[in-house]
Amino acid sequence: MSGEQVKEDMKMTIQAPAIREGWKWFTESRYGLFIHFGPYARYGRGEQVLFREHLDQSEYAREACEWNPVFFDAELWAYTARKAGMKYACLTTRHHDGYCLWDTATTDYSSAKQAPGRDLVREFTDAFRAGGLRVGLYYSWIDWRIPAYFDGPEKDPQGWEDMKRYLHAQVEELVTKYGRIDHFFFDGVWPRTAEDLDSIKLVERMKSIQPDILVNNRLGLSEEEKLHADGGGGSGDSEVLGDFGSPEHVIVPDGKRLWESSQVTTWRLWGYTNGERWRPADVLLDMLCECAEKGGTYGGNLLLNVGPQPDGQLPPEFVERALKIGQWLEVHGEAIYGSDGGNLTEFITYGRQTMKGNYLYLIIRFWDGSPVLRLADLVTPVVRVTLLTTGQELTFRQDGDVLWIEGLPRERPTELFPVIRIECESRPETNQWGSERLWTGDPSRIADWARSRGTTVYADGQPRHAKK
């Protein structure tokens, strides 16, 4: 991350207004589960196989109606998420293929009316809520089966009005029939505008039913503001169009509202895919740590995805990695949950930082085996240093704005990332070098630093006088 980005992130954190009481759970959670589940799992080529391979619509519909995830067990899913250290979950109630996972009155193209004969959303919300997790629902605006969505209100006024009523009615069902919904994730708005969809009006209706619901920013292009906040291109800027930013495949802080980054556990696809490659646990954990490091007052959550198998079971590769991270969080969770940002000093040569109150946490990605760690640019007096991984109290000495931490073991004390907790007398603060990083800031500080060696190109920095 560039120095300019560091400064901007710090400025955004300072300027961020207080978070309303009903939303504080979001910033305290830091970690959620995204679940892409639907009949597309039968194909094993991702959640967008219908469009990506422009399959025959009728054949896909027949396959979808026959799909029956007989081993779907929402209670087991919730148990796994809880053991993994996740605090909330979001289920795809209807993806772009139009198939609904709940008992909707708007269509028979649903898990309740077709082969499963089950309201999967009901089972999900009941099980996750009972398991102590917050509940989120995903809903796609787009429906690849319906021409009116793509013709739009100009080409097909009546078809568009029928389509819009269908969309609004389905969303209202979801926020009315299933108890408290904490988190709502819209998706697939292209190519429609917020005005086409009446999305702001719909969100107002949603909040009249669920006052504390958090709605993401994928609500359509605003004709007034000329902003499009959909998909992986970033969080968007409009404070009207959504309560939280939702960048995907990237970790981009949002300066005006809460934000979460949605990421896959595989290389690319969200729905179940045969032969997909899996990211290792340390890469997934690093995403969580990066979100926490960049978070601050406005969140910084990771929404980590899984695509369940067509029979409803979670892939074993996912479970293995999720539980490994969960074990790490059991020991080191205080550095993640409820943290308020980090990246206080330049620490990229070792890893990441987070903060909470008077604590600064060093999350060490690269354990070099040295018994001594030098941390520059921490100006706040230190009270205590602990290797959180083992509970061992470490000796330290502070020389001005340099902290020397001693007594570290040569062998890495955990398979994943060891964490050192530094307790300070007050909120940890840094100096100019900590706030201005490589490639940014006042270049005169770098000139002064270089001048301490000398001023010339010679090894000792001293000038050479020409021979006569």
Side-chain angles (χ1 to χ4, degrees), residues 34-52:
F34 212 178
I35 306 168
H36 276 69
F37 191 46
Y40 39 81
R42 295 192 77 179
Y43 288 82
R45 297 196 296 279
E47 74 292 347
Q48 296 181 354
V49 62
L50 173 60
F51 180 85
R52 297 286 189 186

Side-chain angles (χ1 to χ4, degrees), residues 380-399:
T380 313
V382 173
V383 175
R384 185 177 295 104
V385 179
T386 306
L387 180 57
L388 190 60
T389 307
T390 63
Q392 174 189 355
E393 194 161 321
L394 301 171
T395 59
F396 66 92
R397 55 189 172 88
Q398 211 166 356
D399 183 8

Side-chain angles (χ1 to χ4, degrees), residues 153-210:
E154 296 81 13
K155 291 184 179 179
D156 184 2
Q158 186 57 54
W160 176 253
E161 285 303 311
D162 293 342
M163 178 73 188
K164 187 168 64 173
R165 278 195 297 272
Y166 174 72
L167 298 174
H168 284 225
Q170 289 199 328
V171 171
E172 189 160 337
E173 284 182 338
L174 290 169
V175 297
T176 303
K177 296 172 57 176
Y178 298 97
R180 175 170 174 165
I181 305 301
D182 303 286
H183 173 279
F184 203 94
F185 195 111
F186 283 109
D187 192 23
V189 71
W190 178 89
R192 305 273 65 93
T193 68
E195 287 75 14
D196 289 342
L197 295 164
D198 279 340
S199 60
I200 294 175
K201 180 180 178 181
L202 177 59
V203 170
E204 289 173 352
R205 174 62 179 150
M206 293 168 69
K207 292 190 174 186
S208 72
I209 299 167
Q210 303 264 1

